[in-house]
Amino acid sequence: MTTRLPFSSRLFLGCAGWSLPREHWPSFPVEGTHLQRYGARFPAVEINSSFYRPHRTATYAKWADSVAPDFRFSVKVPKQITHERRLHDCDGLVDEFLGQCSQLGEKLGCLLIQLPPSLAFDSVRAGRFFTALRDRYQGHAVLEPRHPSWLAPQVTAMLLDERIGRVAADPSPLPGGDEPAGWPGVRYYRLHGSPRIYYSAYEHAWLEQLARKLKAAPDTPTWCIFDNTASGAATLDALRLMDLMLG
């Protein structure tokens, strides 16, 4: 069993969720909850379940208490905000969400704002949403848009002003969407699996190329989350990438 990335690392490597496929249990400690065992190997995790349903403040606090001081959580913004309200008139929902996930304390490392493919950029609506978010939350945040209108220079300027990174997704429905963009103070790679999204594992050569990219900017806080969880490939891919980063 190899060690976890060092405390000094600014690479937050992990998976979307901390479920541990049985075939990979030998790579993790035997004792503890799934999160505790996961956190012994990985320095970060993306909470996807917050997209579908709210979690109690006590639940977030318990998760924070379960992991080491340097562990960080990324939390996905609820679909009520992004997909149902479509960023419109959702200040109350933002307050509610931040009131819950803020119980992670300093272990709240990033917010993930994933937009539906049908949501085109509207400068007034987006501006109001980002302003409301930044009035309430000053930490790292990243945007995963899936409509091509979000590639406009006006959007880039807005992301720079609001200090919001743009997710590098694989595969991405947007041209150039597989590279980080937006505010350069944070990078966020979200790896869904290819060619079969959510299922396929990544080839070793692809992971080697990714490791070189990650090592090229060691001082930039960088998230690398494997979301190809449907058949358990994410756990193995994350472990393989960690070995490449430590090597």
Side-chain angles (χ1 to χ4, degrees):
M1 184 185 297
T2 56
T3 59
R4 191 154 71 87
L5 289 166
F7 181 84
S8 59
S9 173
R10 297 175 73 79
L11 174 62
F12 304 105
L13 168 63
C15 305
W18 52 81
S19 177
L20 300 176
R22 183 177 292 272
E23 62 269 27
H24 301 313
W25 281 7
S27 297
F28 297 86
V30 174
E31 301 297 329
T33 66
H34 274 274
L35 176 55
Q36 289 170 330
R37 295 165 64 202
Y38 171 99
R41 294 300 312 279
F42 295 125
V45 73
E46 180 185 282
I47 299 176
N48 260 245
S49 54
S50 54
F51 176 77
Y52 299 100
R53 63 185 184 278
H55 296 300
R56 296 183 300 122
T57 56
T59 299
Y60 280 110
K62 183 177 76 171
W63 288 340
D65 288 341
S66 299
V67 291
D70 61 327
F71 190 93
R72 293 295 180 266
F73 294 86
S74 171
V75 187
K76 193 172 181 179
V77 171
K79 66 177 181 178
Q80 275 187 295
I81 295 172
T82 56
H83 288 55
E84 296 174 12
R85 293 285 182 89
R86 299 169 71 84
L87 307 183
H88 177 64
D89 191 24
C90 51
D91 289 15
L93 291 173
V94 171
D95 285 332
E96 182 180 347
F97 168 64
L98 291 176
Q100 295 159 2
C101 67
S102 65
Q103 297 305 304
L104 293 171
E106 64 180 11
K107 295 172 186 174
L108 173 57
C110 193
L111 297 183
L112 168 65
I113 309 159
Q114 185 192 60
L115 303 182
S118 61
L119 183 57
F121 175 68
D122 179 294
S123 61
V124 174
R125 180 179 298 195
R128 287 175 177 169
F129 171 75
F130 289 132
T131 296
L133 178 68
R134 281 308 189 200
D135 284 345
R136 296 160 170 79
Y137 170 78
Q138 296 299 311
H140 285 159
V142 293
L143 179 72
E144 185 179 6
R146 291 181 287 174
H147 189 281
S149 60
W150 290 86
L151 299 179
Q154 182 184 1
V155 179
T156 300
M158 181 177 291
L159 296 179
L160 290 172
D161 287 343
E162 300 294 353
R163 296 176 295 107
I164 294 174
R166 196 184 80 201
V167 167
D170 181 80
S172 174
L174 305 178
D178 57 348
E179 292 293 336
W183 184 60
V186 62
R187 299 188 302 172
Y188 201 109
Y189 292 85
R190 199 157 190 258
L191 310 175
H192 303 298
S194 182
R196 189 183 180 195
I197 191 169
Y198 304 128
Y199 285 87
S200 293
Y202 286 97
E203 295 182 357
H204 187 74
W206 193 93
L207 293 175
E208 286 183 319
Q209 183 181 28
L210 176 60
R212 288 193 292 271
K213 287 183 182 179
L214 299 178
K215 290 178 179 180
D219 297 327
T220 301
T222 299
W223 288 76
C224 186
I225 298 295
F226 287 91
D227 188 34
N228 50 341
T229 57
S231 60
T235 304
L236 181 58
D237 281 348
L239 288 169
R240 293 162 64 206
L241 181 60
M242 181 177 294
D243 286 342
L244 291 169
M245 296 302 297
L246 290 170

